Amino acid sequence: MTKPLDGIRIIDFTHVQAGPACTQLLAWYGADVIKVERPGSGDVTRSQLRDIPDVDALYFTMLNGNKRSLTLDTKTQEGKEVLEKMIKTSDVMVENFGPGALDRMGFSWARIQELNPKMIMASVKGFSDGHSYEDLKVYENVAQCAGGAASTTGFWDGPPTVSAAALGDSNTGMHLAIGILTALMQRQKTGKGQKVSCSMQDAVLNLCRVKLRDQQRLDKIGYLEEYPQYPHGTFSDVVPRGGNAGGGGQPGWVLKCKGWETDPNAYIYFTIQGHAWQPITEALGRPEWATDPAYMTAEARQDKIFDIFAVIEEWLKDKTKYEAVDILRKFDIPCAPVLSMKELAASPDLRKSGSIVEVDHKARGKYLTIGSPIKFSDLEVEVKPSPLLGEHTDEVLTDLGYSADDISKLHAAKAV
Ligand code: CAO
C-alpha cells in the first residue's frame, strides 16, 4: 500500500526528543527518514536511562521507529561531501542542534539553498531567531518555564511546576511537522523550498493561550471567576496557579475515590457543566439542589464550589474510580478516572486503537511504544522498531551512488 509521504526523503539531523518526535511522525506516514548520527555514539538517548546494558535505551527506541540510521562524521571533509550529496537528493532536512551548530559545520541556510533550492530546512530551537535568548540551549523544562506553562501550573501555595507532558519537546516537534507539511504543499505550487522554524518557547506558549486570555481578563477586571482563589482568596496582577481547576469556564476538580489512602491514582476528574447541573444533582441523590436558588446557577454555586466537591467526594467514598465513572457516564457528566501509566500500558482500548503498540527490536526484543495518535480512514500506520546505530549506513551510501570501494574508503577514513 502506498503511503501519503512515500517518495519524500528526509535528512534527520535530530537528537534527544523534540526533533526525533517530529521525524518519527513523518516516517510513520511514509517518508524515508534517514537519521544521521555521529559514528560510535549516535544520538545521546541511545545510552541515556538504559534498562538493559549495551542495548539502545527506550528513550531512543520510542522516538526513532520507522527510520534508517546512517553514521556520518560531518566534521570530516569526506563526511561533509556525503552530506552535500544527501542535501542535493533530499526533500527535507530537520535539525535541533544548539544555536549555530549547523553554521559552524558549514551548512548555513544560504549554503543549503545553493545546494538544493527545493530543500525544506526545518529547525527546532529554544527561542525564535532574533529573540534576546536566541543563543541559549534549551531542554524540556527550560521551555516550560519560558513559555508560561510553569508559572501557571501547580498549586497557589507551591512553586512554579512543570508538567510531565512534553510540552517543550514532543509538542514542538508536532508543530514543526505541521510546518514541514505546509512547506511541502507550498513547494508543490512554487517549486521552491524554504526554512521552517519552531521555537520551544512559542510551542509551549501556543498551548498556554488560555492563560494569556486570563492575563488580559485579570488586567481588566482584577479577578478570574473560575479560579479557586475566587471569591474567597485574593488575586495579584499575574495569572495565579489554579491547582486542578478547569480552565474553560466549567468548574472541575480531581476528587478522591475509594482506596485513595493507598492508591495514588484512586481519583476521578469531575466537571460541573452548567447545563448538566440537574443530572448531577440526580446522580448525587441531591435533587433539591436543582431547584434551590442557592445552587441553581453557576454564579450561585461559585462561592461554595469546594463544599459541593466535598459532597461529591462523600458520594465517591464507597466507589472505585471505575465504578464512579460508570455511574456518572449515564448522566452525561464529563469525567474520567485518573489513569496510571501501568493502567494505560495494559489498556485493551489503546491496544485496539493502535495508540499503544508492541514492536520487536533486534537487540531488545519486544517493547511498548506509542502508535499514531492521528487516525485515518484510508491509511494504516505500521509502527516499526528503531534502527541500530549505523544499521543502514552502507545501504544509504549505495543509494547515493557510492561504490563498494568508495564505501570502504569512507569507513577507513572514519567518516561513517
Ligand atoms: N558529526 C559530527 N559532529 C556532529 C554530528 C555528526 N554527525 N552531529 C552533531 N555534531 C556536533 C555539532 O556539530 C555540534 O558541534 P559544535 O557545538 O562543536 O558546533 C555538536 O555536535 C552538537 O551540539 P549541540 O549544541 O546540539 O549539543 P548539546 O548536547 O550541547 O546540546 C541541546 C543539546 C538539546 C541542549 C541543544 O542541541 C539544543 O539546545 N537544541 C535546540 C533545542 C532543542 O531541540 N532542545 C530539545 C532537545 S529535546 O529535550
Side-chain angles (χ1 to χ4, degrees), residues 13 15-20 36-39 42 44-45 59 70-76 95-105 123-127 135-141 143 168-170 172 198 200 415:
F13 229 161
H15 63 162
V16 203
Q17 184 174 166
V36 180
E37 298 178 84
R38 218 194 297 238
V44 68
T45 59
Y59 197 6
L70 161 79
T71 48
L72 190 66
D73 186 340
T74 53
K75 285 194 172 158
T76 64
E95 65 90 24
N96 67 318
F97 292 129
L102 213 56
D103 291 354
R104 289 194 292 279
M105 210 185 271
S123 295
V124 167
K125 293 286 168 271
F127 296 90
D135 57 320
L136 283 180
K137 289 186 174 181
V138 169
Y139 281 110
E140 173 67 54
N141 292 346
D169 283 342
S170 281
T172 310
C198 191
M200 295 168 76

Tab-separated table of all heavy atoms in Angstrom, residues 13 15-20 36-39 42 44-45 59 70-76 95-105 123-127 135-141 143 168-170 172 198 200 415, ligand 1:
chain	number	residue	atom	x	y	z
A	13	PHE	N	18.532	15.099	11.086
A	13	PHE	CA	19.718	15.518	11.837
A	13	PHE	C	19.288	15.899	13.246
A	13	PHE	O	19.726	16.906	13.784
A	13	PHE	CB	20.307	16.735	11.112
A	13	PHE	CG	21.770	16.647	10.850
A	13	PHE	CD1	22.356	17.457	9.878
A	13	PHE	CD2	22.591	15.778	11.559
A	13	PHE	CE1	23.707	17.400	9.616
A	13	PHE	CE2	23.942	15.709	11.308
A	13	PHE	CZ	24.495	16.525	10.335
A	15	HIS	N	18.181	15.080	17.438
A	15	HIS	CA	18.584	14.276	18.593
A	15	HIS	C	17.688	14.588	19.802
A	15	HIS	O	16.902	15.524	19.763
A	15	HIS	CB	20.070	14.501	18.930
A	15	HIS	CG	20.410	15.910	19.340
A	15	HIS	ND1	21.556	16.222	20.005
A	15	HIS	CD2	19.742	17.091	19.187
A	15	HIS	CE1	21.590	17.525	20.247
A	15	HIS	NE2	20.511	18.068	19.748
A	16	VAL	N	17.814	13.800	20.809
A	16	VAL	CA	17.018	13.870	22.046
A	16	VAL	C	15.535	13.692	21.715
A	16	VAL	O	15.179	12.656	21.140
A	16	VAL	CB	17.326	15.130	22.895
A	16	VAL	CG1	16.949	14.885	24.349
A	16	VAL	CG2	18.813	15.503	22.835
A	17	GLN	N	14.656	14.653	21.993
A	17	GLN	CA	13.231	14.367	21.816
A	17	GLN	C	12.488	15.240	20.810
A	17	GLN	O	11.689	14.742	20.017
A	17	GLN	CB	12.510	14.451	23.181
A	17	GLN	CG	11.065	14.075	23.080
A	17	GLN	CD	10.296	13.990	24.382
A	17	GLN	OE1	9.078	13.946	24.355
A	17	GLN	NE2	10.943	13.947	25.521
A	18	ALA	N	12.734	16.571	20.861
A	18	ALA	CA	11.890	17.476	20.068
A	18	ALA	C	11.956	17.151	18.570
A	18	ALA	O	10.915	16.983	17.913
A	18	ALA	CB	12.312	18.920	20.316
A	19	GLY	N	13.163	17.042	18.035
A	19	GLY	CA	13.323	16.759	16.607
A	19	GLY	C	12.908	15.336	16.256
A	19	GLY	O	12.147	15.111	15.306
A	20	PRO	N	13.407	14.338	17.005
A	20	PRO	CA	13.039	12.947	16.692
A	20	PRO	C	11.527	12.681	16.719
A	20	PRO	O	11.020	11.890	15.930
A	20	PRO	CB	13.754	12.148	17.791
A	20	PRO	CG	14.966	12.971	18.108
A	20	PRO	CD	14.497	14.402	18.005
A	36	VAL	N	20.821	10.786	10.773
A	36	VAL	CA	22.273	10.965	10.639
A	36	VAL	C	22.858	11.102	12.041
A	36	VAL	O	22.495	12.002	12.793
A	36	VAL	CB	22.583	12.226	9.803
A	36	VAL	CG1	24.095	12.406	9.663
A	36	VAL	CG2	21.933	12.138	8.436
A	37	GLU	N	23.770	10.176	12.365
A	37	GLU	CA	24.298	10.163	13.732
A	37	GLU	C	25.816	10.093	13.724
A	37	GLU	O	26.430	9.525	12.818
A	37	GLU	CB	23.751	8.955	14.492
A	37	GLU	CG	22.242	8.969	14.646
A	37	GLU	CD	21.749	7.723	15.357
A	37	GLU	OE1	21.760	7.709	16.593
A	37	GLU	OE2	21.346	6.769	14.655
A	38	ARG	N	26.374	10.609	14.802
A	38	ARG	CA	27.832	10.612	14.934
A	38	ARG	C	28.332	9.178	15.110
A	38	ARG	O	27.788	8.430	15.928
A	38	ARG	CB	28.209	11.422	16.163
A	38	ARG	CG	29.460	12.247	15.966
A	38	ARG	CD	29.952	12.728	17.278
A	38	ARG	NE	28.990	13.603	17.929
A	38	ARG	CZ	29.262	14.839	18.293
A	38	ARG	NH1	30.436	15.347	18.040
A	38	ARG	NH2	28.368	15.552	18.933
A	39	PRO	N	29.358	8.758	14.316
A	39	PRO	CA	29.865	7.383	14.448
A	39	PRO	C	30.301	7.091	15.880
A	39	PRO	O	30.826	7.969	16.565
A	39	PRO	CB	31.075	7.352	13.504
A	39	PRO	CG	30.870	8.482	12.554
A	39	PRO	CD	30.099	9.526	13.293
A	42	GLY	N	26.317	8.088	18.383
A	42	GLY	CA	24.950	8.303	17.924
A	42	GLY	C	24.193	9.259	18.825
A	42	GLY	O	24.770	9.942	19.681
A	44	VAL	N	22.378	10.818	21.743
A	44	VAL	CA	22.695	10.604	23.154
A	44	VAL	C	21.640	9.739	23.863
A	44	VAL	O	21.944	9.010	24.816
A	44	VAL	CB	22.885	11.984	23.861
A	44	VAL	CG1	21.565	12.753	23.936
A	44	VAL	CG2	23.478	11.833	25.234
A	45	THR	N	20.420	9.765	23.358
A	45	THR	CA	19.356	8.993	24.029
A	45	THR	C	19.515	7.487	23.835
A	45	THR	O	18.864	6.707	24.520
A	45	THR	CB	17.946	9.404	23.540
A	45	THR	OG1	17.864	9.192	22.131
A	45	THR	CG2	17.639	10.845	23.882
A	59	TYR	N	14.290	5.385	25.647
A	59	TYR	CA	14.195	6.803	25.283
A	59	TYR	C	14.443	6.943	23.774
A	59	TYR	O	13.734	7.678	23.077
A	59	TYR	CB	15.226	7.594	26.089
A	59	TYR	CG	14.992	9.086	26.143
A	59	TYR	CD1	13.842	9.671	25.596
A	59	TYR	CD2	15.905	9.932	26.764
A	59	TYR	CE1	13.635	11.038	25.653
A	59	TYR	CE2	15.702	11.305	26.832
A	59	TYR	CZ	14.570	11.848	26.263
A	59	TYR	OH	14.366	13.204	26.333
A	70	LEU	N	22.102	6.233	9.582
A	70	LEU	CA	23.382	6.395	8.871
A	70	LEU	C	24.353	7.054	9.843
A	70	LEU	O	24.018	8.081	10.432
A	70	LEU	CB	23.160	7.333	7.679
A	70	LEU	CG	24.399	7.992	7.060
A	70	LEU	CD1	25.138	7.015	6.153
A	70	LEU	CD2	24.004	9.229	6.260
A	71	THR	N	25.515	6.451	10.043
A	71	THR	CA	26.517	7.166	10.832
A	71	THR	C	27.363	7.999	9.886
A	71	THR	O	27.732	7.543	8.792
A	71	THR	CB	27.430	6.188	11.617
A	71	THR	OG1	27.878	5.167	10.753
A	71	THR	CG2	26.698	5.585	12.798
A	72	LEU	N	27.636	9.235	10.305
A	72	LEU	CA	28.373	10.161	9.442
A	72	LEU	C	29.021	11.217	10.320
A	72	LEU	O	28.338	11.877	11.102
A	72	LEU	CB	27.369	10.835	8.483
A	72	LEU	CG	27.928	11.666	7.352
A	72	LEU	CD1	28.693	10.800	6.358
A	72	LEU	CD2	26.792	12.392	6.618
A	73	ASP	N	30.330	11.353	10.185
A	73	ASP	CA	31.005	12.421	10.921
A	73	ASP	C	31.057	13.641	10.019
A	73	ASP	O	31.889	13.731	9.111
A	73	ASP	CB	32.416	11.984	11.337
A	73	ASP	CG	33.086	13.032	12.226
A	73	ASP	OD1	32.638	14.208	12.201
A	73	ASP	OD2	34.046	12.686	12.937
A	74	THR	N	30.176	14.560	10.271
A	74	THR	CA	30.051	15.721	9.382
A	74	THR	C	31.104	16.780	9.681
A	74	THR	O	31.054	17.866	9.122
A	74	THR	CB	28.643	16.329	9.481
A	74	THR	OG1	28.380	16.574	10.859
A	74	THR	CG2	27.610	15.403	8.902
A	75	LYS	N	32.024	16.459	10.579
A	75	LYS	CA	33.129	17.405	10.794
A	75	LYS	C	34.357	16.999	9.965
A	75	LYS	O	35.339	17.723	9.944
A	75	LYS	CB	33.452	17.505	12.278
A	75	LYS	CG	32.376	18.329	13.004
A	75	LYS	CD	32.783	18.756	14.383
A	75	LYS	CE	31.751	19.725	14.935
A	75	LYS	NZ	31.776	19.789	16.389
A	76	THR	N	34.291	15.838	9.295
A	76	THR	CA	35.386	15.459	8.391
A	76	THR	C	35.028	15.934	6.982
A	76	THR	O	33.836	16.088	6.654
A	76	THR	CB	35.575	13.922	8.338
A	76	THR	OG1	34.385	13.342	7.789
A	76	THR	CG2	35.825	13.338	9.717
A	95	GLU	N	16.597	19.539	11.873
A	95	GLU	CA	17.678	19.555	12.882
A	95	GLU	C	17.225	20.252	14.146
A	95	GLU	O	16.358	21.138	14.090
A	95	GLU	CB	18.940	20.225	12.310
A	95	GLU	CG	18.793	21.711	11.988
A	95	GLU	CD	19.149	22.656	13.125
A	95	GLU	OE1	19.919	22.277	14.016
A	95	GLU	OE2	18.637	23.794	13.110
A	96	ASN	N	17.776	19.819	15.252
A	96	ASN	CA	17.543	20.565	16.507
A	96	ASN	C	18.827	20.633	17.335
A	96	ASN	O	18.842	20.359	18.518
A	96	ASN	CB	16.374	19.983	17.315
A	96	ASN	CG	16.632	18.603	17.867
A	96	ASN	OD1	17.190	17.752	17.180
A	96	ASN	ND2	16.234	18.356	19.107
A	97	PHE	N	19.895	21.055	16.658
A	97	PHE	CA	21.155	21.283	17.369
A	97	PHE	C	21.081	22.592	18.137
A	97	PHE	O	20.185	23.415	17.918
A	97	PHE	CB	22.322	21.380	16.369
A	97	PHE	CG	22.615	20.085	15.674
A	97	PHE	CD1	22.712	20.030	14.298
A	97	PHE	CD2	22.794	18.912	16.405
A	97	PHE	CE1	22.978	18.837	13.650
A	97	PHE	CE2	23.069	17.716	15.766
A	97	PHE	CZ	23.150	17.678	14.385
A	98	GLY	N	22.078	22.777	18.993
A	98	GLY	CA	22.193	24.048	19.686
A	98	GLY	C	22.378	25.169	18.667
A	98	GLY	O	22.801	24.922	17.531
A	99	PRO	N	22.052	26.410	19.074
A	99	PRO	CA	22.137	27.536	18.137
A	99	PRO	C	23.505	27.625	17.454
A	99	PRO	O	24.543	27.515	18.110
A	99	PRO	CB	21.898	28.755	19.041
A	99	PRO	CG	21.119	28.213	20.205
A	99	PRO	CD	21.592	26.812	20.408
A	100	GLY	N	23.488	27.773	16.140
A	100	GLY	CA	24.723	27.998	15.382
A	100	GLY	C	25.491	26.744	14.995
A	100	GLY	O	26.450	26.830	14.224
A	101	ALA	N	25.092	25.567	15.502
A	101	ALA	CA	25.891	24.350	15.262
A	101	ALA	C	25.969	24.017	13.766
A	101	ALA	O	27.039	23.651	13.259
A	101	ALA	CB	25.317	23.173	16.045
A	102	LEU	N	24.859	24.181	13.076
A	102	LEU	CA	24.843	23.823	11.651
A	102	LEU	C	25.713	24.796	10.837
A	102	LEU	O	26.428	24.383	9.923
A	102	LEU	CB	23.384	23.847	11.153
A	102	LEU	CG	23.027	22.854	10.073
A	102	LEU	CD1	23.343	21.428	10.476
A	102	LEU	CD2	21.546	22.977	9.731
A	103	ASP	N	25.666	26.071	11.194
A	103	ASP	CA	26.523	27.068	10.518
A	103	ASP	C	27.990	26.719	10.740
A	103	ASP	O	28.797	26.752	9.801
A	103	ASP	CB	26.270	28.477	11.076
A	103	ASP	CG	24.890	29.012	10.700
A	103	ASP	OD1	24.189	28.333	9.921
A	103	ASP	OD2	24.514	30.082	11.196
A	104	ARG	N	28.301	26.351	12.004
A	104	ARG	CA	29.706	26.008	12.306
A	104	ARG	C	30.151	24.782	11.518
A	104	ARG	O	31.311	24.631	11.160
A	104	ARG	CB	29.889	25.752	13.813
A	104	ARG	CG	29.785	27.007	14.672
A	104	ARG	CD	30.304	26.772	16.081
A	104	ARG	NE	29.473	25.879	16.856
A	104	ARG	CZ	28.355	26.221	17.486
A	104	ARG	NH1	27.923	27.474	17.440
A	104	ARG	NH2	27.651	25.338	18.176
A	105	MET	N	29.215	23.910	11.209
A	105	MET	CA	29.520	22.695	10.448
A	105	MET	C	29.714	23.021	8.961
A	105	MET	O	30.142	22.195	8.157
A	105	MET	CB	28.311	21.752	10.600
A	105	MET	CG	28.612	20.286	10.551
A	105	MET	SD	27.026	19.418	10.602
A	105	MET	CE	26.764	19.219	12.329
A	123	SER	N	13.907	23.554	11.576
A	123	SER	CA	14.700	23.625	12.807
A	123	SER	C	13.845	23.820	14.040
A	123	SER	O	12.871	24.576	14.015
A	123	SER	CB	15.645	24.828	12.758
A	123	SER	OG	16.599	24.683	11.756
A	124	VAL	N	14.274	23.159	15.114
A	124	VAL	CA	13.745	23.467	16.448
A	124	VAL	C	14.864	24.171	17.199
A	124	VAL	O	16.009	23.712	17.192
A	124	VAL	CB	13.377	22.179	17.219
A	124	VAL	CG1	13.126	22.493	18.696
A	124	VAL	CG2	12.159	21.495	16.613
A	125	LYS	N	14.520	25.268	17.845
A	125	LYS	CA	15.466	25.936	18.752
A	125	LYS	C	14.681	26.291	20.022
A	125	LYS	O	13.450	26.253	20.034
A	125	LYS	CB	16.010	27.238	18.118
A	125	LYS	CG	16.885	26.990	16.897
A	125	LYS	CD	18.277	26.446	17.247
A	125	LYS	CE	19.023	25.938	16.025
A	125	LYS	NZ	18.791	24.524	15.707
A	126	GLY	N	15.413	26.655	21.055
A	126	GLY	CA	14.730	27.026	22.295
A	126	GLY	C	13.914	28.296	22.123
A	126	GLY	O	12.770	28.397	22.562
A	127	PHE	N	14.519	29.275	21.453
A	127	PHE	CA	13.876	30.584	21.266
A	127	PHE	C	13.942	30.951	19.786
A	127	PHE	O	14.805	30.459	19.056
A	127	PHE	CB	14.584	31.643	22.114
A	127	PHE	CG	14.453	31.373	23.598
A	127	PHE	CD1	15.394	30.589	24.259
A	127	PHE	CD2	13.371	31.862	24.319
A	127	PHE	CE1	15.261	30.308	25.619
A	127	PHE	CE2	13.230	31.593	25.680
A	127	PHE	CZ	14.172	30.807	26.330
A	135	ASP	N	20.602	32.597	21.797
A	135	ASP	CA	21.843	31.813	21.899
A	135	ASP	C	21.723	30.682	22.931
A	135	ASP	O	22.651	29.886	23.073
A	135	ASP	CB	23.000	32.740	22.305
A	135	ASP	CG	22.697	33.472	23.616
A	135	ASP	OD1	21.527	33.903	23.795
A	135	ASP	OD2	23.593	33.575	24.464
A	136	LEU	N	20.624	30.593	23.630
A	136	LEU	CA	20.520	29.599	24.715
A	136	LEU	C	20.222	28.196	24.205
A	136	LEU	O	19.404	28.011	23.303
A	136	LEU	CB	19.389	29.987	25.688
A	136	LEU	CG	19.667	31.101	26.694
A	136	LEU	CD1	18.430	31.339	27.557
A	136	LEU	CD2	20.841	30.732	27.592
A	137	LYS	N	20.857	27.219	24.857
A	137	LYS	CA	20.480	25.819	24.655
A	137	LYS	C	19.296	25.540	25.564
A	137	LYS	O	19.232	26.081	26.679
A	137	LYS	CB	21.633	24.908	25.032
A	137	LYS	CG	22.773	24.981	24.049
A	137	LYS	CD	23.837	23.967	24.362
A	137	LYS	CE	24.890	23.979	23.269
A	137	LYS	NZ	25.944	22.999	23.519
A	138	VAL	N	18.395	24.708	25.113
A	138	VAL	CA	17.150	24.540	25.873
A	138	VAL	C	16.717	23.078	25.926
A	138	VAL	O	16.754	22.379	24.910
A	138	VAL	CB	16.033	25.403	25.225
A	138	VAL	CG1	14.673	25.073	25.808
A	138	VAL	CG2	16.329	26.892	25.433
A	139	TYR	N	16.323	22.654	27.106
A	139	TYR	CA	15.667	21.351	27.274
A	139	TYR	C	14.223	21.585	27.726
A	139	TYR	O	13.829	22.701	28.094
A	139	TYR	CB	16.396	20.520	28.337
A	139	TYR	CG	17.655	19.860	27.823
A	139	TYR	CD1	18.908	20.284	28.239
A	139	TYR	CD2	17.592	18.798	26.929
A	139	TYR	CE1	20.070	19.676	27.773
A	139	TYR	CE2	18.742	18.184	26.457
A	139	TYR	CZ	19.980	18.625	26.880
A	139	TYR	OH	21.118	18.030	26.411
A	140	GLU	N	13.470	20.491	27.728
A	140	GLU	CA	12.038	20.492	28.043
A	140	GLU	C	11.599	21.482	29.135
A	140	GLU	O	10.796	22.381	28.916
A	140	GLU	CB	11.655	19.063	28.464
A	140	GLU	CG	10.244	18.891	28.983
A	140	GLU	CD	9.198	19.121	27.924
A	140	GLU	OE1	9.281	18.485	26.878
A	140	GLU	OE2	8.282	19.940	28.138
A	141	ASN	N	12.148	21.295	30.334
A	141	ASN	CA	11.627	22.071	31.458
A	141	ASN	C	11.995	23.549	31.366
A	141	ASN	O	11.267	24.412	31.855
A	141	ASN	CB	12.118	21.477	32.786
A	141	ASN	CG	11.496	20.107	33.022
A	141	ASN	OD1	10.540	19.730	32.356
A	141	ASN	ND2	12.041	19.354	33.959
A	143	ALA	N	11.992	25.131	28.582
A	143	ALA	CA	10.970	25.674	27.681
A	143	ALA	C	9.635	25.854	28.403
A	143	ALA	O	8.925	26.842	28.184
A	143	ALA	CB	10.789	24.748	26.477
A	168	GLY	N	7.402	21.048	25.801
A	168	GLY	CA	8.522	21.716	25.122
A	168	GLY	C	9.092	20.849	24.016
A	168	GLY	O	9.427	21.345	22.948
A	169	ASP	N	9.202	19.577	24.255
A	169	ASP	CA	9.875	18.690	23.303
A	169	ASP	C	8.925	18.155	22.215
A	169	ASP	O	8.884	18.655	21.107
A	169	ASP	CB	10.501	17.509	24.044
A	169	ASP	CG	11.794	17.910	24.750
A	169	ASP	OD1	12.365	18.945	24.408
A	169	ASP	OD2	12.224	17.169	25.644
A	170	SER	N	8.179	17.105	22.556
A	170	SER	CA	7.338	16.474	21.521
A	170	SER	C	6.338	17.464	20.935
A	170	SER	O	6.065	17.446	19.731
A	170	SER	CB	6.598	15.264	22.093
A	170	SER	OG	7.474	14.160	22.149
A	172	THR	N	6.733	20.653	20.426
A	172	THR	CA	7.390	21.493	19.413
A	172	THR	C	7.627	20.665	18.140
A	172	THR	O	7.464	21.158	17.022
A	172	THR	CB	8.730	22.056	19.943
A	172	THR	OG1	8.487	22.644	21.226
A	172	THR	CG2	9.291	23.106	19.017
A	198	CYS	N	10.597	26.407	14.452
A	198	CYS	CA	9.639	26.463	15.544
A	198	CYS	C	10.430	26.527	16.846
A	198	CYS	O	11.315	25.704	17.085
A	198	CYS	CB	8.742	25.231	15.515
A	198	CYS	SG	7.356	25.413	16.628
A	200	MET	N	10.751	26.342	20.956
A	200	MET	CA	10.083	25.610	22.036
A	200	MET	C	9.273	26.582	22.894
A	200	MET	O	8.178	26.252	23.352
A	200	MET	CB	11.130	24.871	22.876
A	200	MET	CG	11.850	23.788	22.072
A	200	MET	SD	13.291	23.124	22.891
A	200	MET	CE	12.576	22.069	24.127
A	415	ALA	N	34.853	8.417	8.445
A	415	ALA	CA	33.846	9.449	8.137
A	415	ALA	C	32.440	8.895	8.337
A	415	ALA	O	31.482	9.651	8.478
A	415	ALA	CB	34.010	9.917	6.695
B	1	CAO	N1	29.133	14.554	13.175
B	1	CAO	C1	29.937	15.472	13.737
B	1	CAO	N2	29.505	16.381	14.632
B	1	CAO	C2	28.220	16.332	14.959
B	1	CAO	C3	27.318	15.409	14.422
B	1	CAO	C4	27.829	14.484	13.481
B	1	CAO	N3	27.051	13.568	12.911
B	1	CAO	N4	26.094	15.618	14.950
B	1	CAO	C5	26.222	16.623	15.806
B	1	CAO	N5	27.505	17.072	15.809
B	1	CAO	C6	28.070	18.170	16.585
B	1	CAO	C7	27.521	19.514	16.158
B	1	CAO	O1	28.183	19.991	15.036
B	1	CAO	C8	27.797	20.319	17.405
B	1	CAO	O2	29.168	20.670	17.464
B	1	CAO	P1	29.707	22.161	17.815
B	1	CAO	O3	28.981	22.620	19.031
B	1	CAO	O4	31.176	21.935	18.025
B	1	CAO	O5	29.443	23.039	16.675
B	1	CAO	C9	27.507	19.284	18.489
B	1	CAO	O6	27.670	18.010	17.912
B	1	CAO	C10	26.040	19.288	18.953
B	1	CAO	O7	25.880	20.337	19.712
B	1	CAO	P2	24.508	20.619	20.480
B	1	CAO	O8	24.651	22.012	20.948
B	1	CAO	O9	23.320	20.363	19.656
B	1	CAO	O10	24.538	19.508	21.627
B	1	CAO	P3	24.431	19.645	23.206
B	1	CAO	O11	24.401	18.258	23.694
B	1	CAO	O12	25.482	20.537	23.766
B	1	CAO	O13	23.023	20.356	23.453
B	1	CAO	C11	20.637	20.588	23.296
B	1	CAO	C12	21.837	19.633	23.399
B	1	CAO	C13	19.390	19.772	23.119
B	1	CAO	C14	20.562	21.419	24.582
B	1	CAO	C15	20.865	21.516	22.077
B	1	CAO	O14	21.035	20.711	20.944
B	1	CAO	C16	19.721	22.468	21.841
B	1	CAO	O15	19.547	23.469	22.533
B	1	CAO	N6	18.947	22.199	20.783
B	1	CAO	C17	17.863	23.079	20.347
B	1	CAO	C18	16.685	22.997	21.236
B	1	CAO	C19	16.176	21.588	21.350
B	1	CAO	O16	15.817	20.945	20.402
B	1	CAO	N7	16.095	21.139	22.593
B	1	CAO	C20	15.306	19.953	22.882
B	1	CAO	C21	16.067	18.778	22.981
B	1	CAO	S1	14.928	17.518	23.376
B	1	CAO	O17	14.866	17.579	25.003
